[in-house]
Amino acid sequence: QVQFEESGGGSAQAGGSLRLSCAVSGSFSAVTCMGWFRQATGKEREKVASIDFSGRATYTDSVKGRFTISRHNSNNTLWLQMSELSPEDTGMYYCATGRRIDHYCRARWEDSAYWGQGTQVTVSS
Protein backbone atom coordinates (compact mmCIF):
# COMPACT_ATOMS: atom_id res chain seq x y z
CA GLN A 1 0.00 0.00 0.00
CA VAL A 2 1.19 3.50 -0.85
CA GLN A 3 0.32 6.59 1.17
CA PHE A 4 0.48 10.20 0.07
CA GLU A 5 0.64 13.31 2.18
CA GLU A 6 -0.02 16.34 -0.02
CA SER A 7 0.06 19.90 1.24
CA GLY A 8 0.58 23.47 0.13
CA GLY A 9 -2.59 24.09 -1.79
CA GLY A 10 -4.83 27.04 -1.07
CA SER A 11 -5.76 30.41 -2.47
CA ALA A 12 -3.55 32.95 -4.17
CA GLN A 13 -3.89 36.15 -6.12
CA ALA A 14 -2.93 36.25 -9.77
CA GLY A 15 0.79 36.77 -10.01
CA GLY A 16 1.38 35.09 -6.67
CA SER A 17 3.12 31.88 -5.74
CA LEU A 18 2.35 28.59 -4.03
CA ARG A 19 4.47 25.54 -3.27
CA LEU A 20 2.95 22.08 -3.26
CA SER A 21 4.53 19.19 -1.37
CA CYS A 22 3.91 15.47 -1.59
CA ALA A 23 5.44 12.92 0.75
CA VAL A 24 5.08 9.33 -0.41
CA SER A 25 5.49 6.29 1.80
CA GLY A 26 4.71 2.63 1.77
CA SER A 27 5.49 -0.25 -0.51
CA PHE A 28 6.76 1.18 -3.78
CA SER A 29 10.02 1.76 -5.61
CA ALA A 30 11.59 5.19 -5.43
CA VAL A 31 13.28 4.50 -8.78
CA THR A 32 10.33 5.63 -10.82
CA CYS A 33 8.74 8.63 -12.43
CA MET A 34 6.85 11.13 -10.30
CA GLY A 35 4.67 13.99 -11.33
CA TRP A 36 1.95 16.53 -10.72
CA PHE A 37 -1.39 16.58 -12.49
CA ARG A 38 -4.31 18.93 -12.27
CA GLN A 39 -7.96 18.90 -13.10
CA ALA A 40 -10.15 21.95 -13.37
CA THR A 41 -13.90 21.68 -12.98
CA GLY A 42 -15.43 20.31 -16.14
CA LYS A 43 -12.08 19.63 -17.80
CA GLU A 44 -9.88 16.63 -18.45
CA ARG A 45 -6.99 15.80 -16.18
CA GLU A 46 -3.78 17.49 -17.36
CA LYS A 47 -0.21 16.45 -16.80
CA VAL A 48 1.53 19.51 -15.36
CA ALA A 49 5.06 18.21 -14.82
CA SER A 50 7.01 14.97 -14.54
CA ILE A 51 10.43 14.25 -13.11
CA ASP A 52 12.50 11.09 -13.36
CA PHE A 53 14.78 9.56 -10.76
CA SER A 54 17.78 11.57 -12.03
CA GLY A 55 15.89 14.83 -11.84
CA ARG A 56 15.14 15.34 -15.50
CA ALA A 57 11.90 17.29 -15.71
CA THR A 58 9.30 17.96 -18.37
CA TYR A 59 6.47 20.48 -18.27
CA THR A 60 3.28 21.19 -20.11
CA ASP A 61 3.69 24.29 -22.25
CA SER A 62 1.37 26.49 -20.22
CA VAL A 63 3.54 26.28 -17.09
CA LYS A 64 7.02 26.38 -18.59
CA GLY A 65 9.07 29.13 -17.02
CA ARG A 66 6.59 29.52 -14.14
CA PHE A 67 6.51 26.15 -12.39
CA THR A 68 9.41 24.05 -11.14
CA ILE A 69 9.14 20.40 -10.15
CA SER A 70 11.71 18.81 -7.86
CA ARG A 71 12.12 15.67 -5.79
CA HIS A 72 14.18 14.30 -2.94
CA ASN A 73 14.79 10.62 -3.55
CA SER A 74 16.02 9.66 -0.08
CA ASN A 75 12.73 10.63 1.58
CA ASN A 76 10.43 10.25 -1.43
CA THR A 77 9.20 13.80 -1.45
CA LEU A 78 7.98 15.72 -4.47
CA TRP A 79 7.46 19.47 -4.78
CA LEU A 80 5.92 21.86 -7.25
CA GLN A 81 6.95 25.51 -6.97
CA MET A 82 4.34 27.59 -8.76
CA SER A 83 4.98 31.25 -9.58
CA GLU A 84 3.23 33.89 -11.67
CA LEU A 85 -0.03 32.12 -11.00
CA SER A 86 -3.05 32.87 -13.14
CA PRO A 87 -6.74 31.96 -12.72
CA GLU A 88 -6.20 29.32 -15.42
CA ASP A 89 -4.02 27.45 -12.92
CA THR A 90 -7.02 26.85 -10.67
CA GLY A 91 -7.84 23.20 -10.07
CA MET A 92 -7.27 20.12 -7.99
CA TYR A 93 -3.61 19.14 -8.07
CA TYR A 94 -2.65 15.50 -7.72
CA CYS A 95 0.69 13.94 -6.95
CA ALA A 96 1.46 10.62 -8.64
CA THR A 97 4.26 8.10 -8.58
CA GLY A 98 4.87 5.29 -11.03
CA ARG A 99 4.32 1.66 -10.21
CA ARG A 100 7.16 0.36 -12.36
CA ILE A 101 10.86 0.52 -11.61
CA ASP A 102 12.15 2.88 -14.30
CA HIS A 103 14.89 5.48 -14.50
CA TYR A 104 12.91 7.47 -17.03
CA CYS A 105 9.49 9.02 -17.43
CA ARG A 106 7.99 7.06 -20.31
CA ALA A 107 5.03 8.21 -22.35
CA ARG A 108 1.77 7.65 -20.49
CA TRP A 109 3.62 6.51 -17.36
CA GLU A 110 0.68 7.79 -15.42
CA ASP A 111 -1.57 5.07 -16.84
CA SER A 112 -0.16 2.80 -14.16
CA ALA A 113 0.55 5.01 -11.20
CA TYR A 114 -0.30 5.51 -7.58
CA TRP A 115 -2.26 8.70 -6.91
CA GLY A 116 -2.56 11.11 -4.05
CA GLN A 117 -5.88 12.47 -2.87
CA GLY A 118 -5.29 15.93 -4.33
CA THR A 119 -4.94 19.45 -3.01
CA GLN A 120 -7.01 22.38 -4.24
CA VAL A 121 -5.38 25.44 -5.78
CA THR A 122 -7.54 28.51 -6.39
CA VAL A 123 -6.17 31.60 -8.10
CA SER A 124 -8.23 34.76 -8.19
CA SER A 125 -7.77 37.68 -10.53
Side-chain angles (χ1 to χ4, degrees):
Q1 194 172 5
V2 179
Q3 294 82 39
F4 291 79
E5 186 173 340
E6 295 170 308
S7 60
S11 298
Q13 294 285 326
S17 299
L18 286 172
R19 188 179 194 229
L20 306 183
S21 297
C22 175
V24 188
S25 61
S27 180
F28 74 105
S29 172
V31 184
T32 190
C33 187
M34 301 183 78
W36 288 97
F37 296 74
R38 67 186 179 189
Q39 188 166 21
T41 303
K43 294 190 176 181
E44 297 284 318
R45 184 185 68 194
E46 175 186 30
K47 187 188 303 182
V48 176
S50 300
I51 185 168
D52 68 17
F53 187 72
S54 296
R56 289 177 288 255
T58 58
Y59 300 90
T60 191
D61 286 346
S62 64
V63 308
K64 285 179 181 177
R66 300 188 300 120
F67 290 11
T68 302
I69 188 172
S70 57
R71 63 187 285 175
H72 196 295
N73 292 330
S74 63
N75 61 10
N76 302 316
T77 304
L78 183 71
W79 295 277
L80 184 68
Q81 178 66 48
M82 305 185 292
S83 302
E84 300 177 39
L85 286 165
S86 74
E88 289 68 37
D89 295 316
T90 294
M92 186 70 78
Y93 283 68
Y94 297 92
C95 169
T97 184
R99 290 178 184 259
R100 301 190 181 103
I101 296 174
D102 199 335
H103 283 271
Y104 306 102
C105 290
R106 313 279 179 185
R108 300 181 65 90
W109 67 269
E110 66 272 18
D111 286 353
S112 60
Y114 297 106
W115 293 88
Q117 75 281 0
T119 185
Q120 178 68 34
V121 171
T122 303
V123 184
S124 56
S125 57

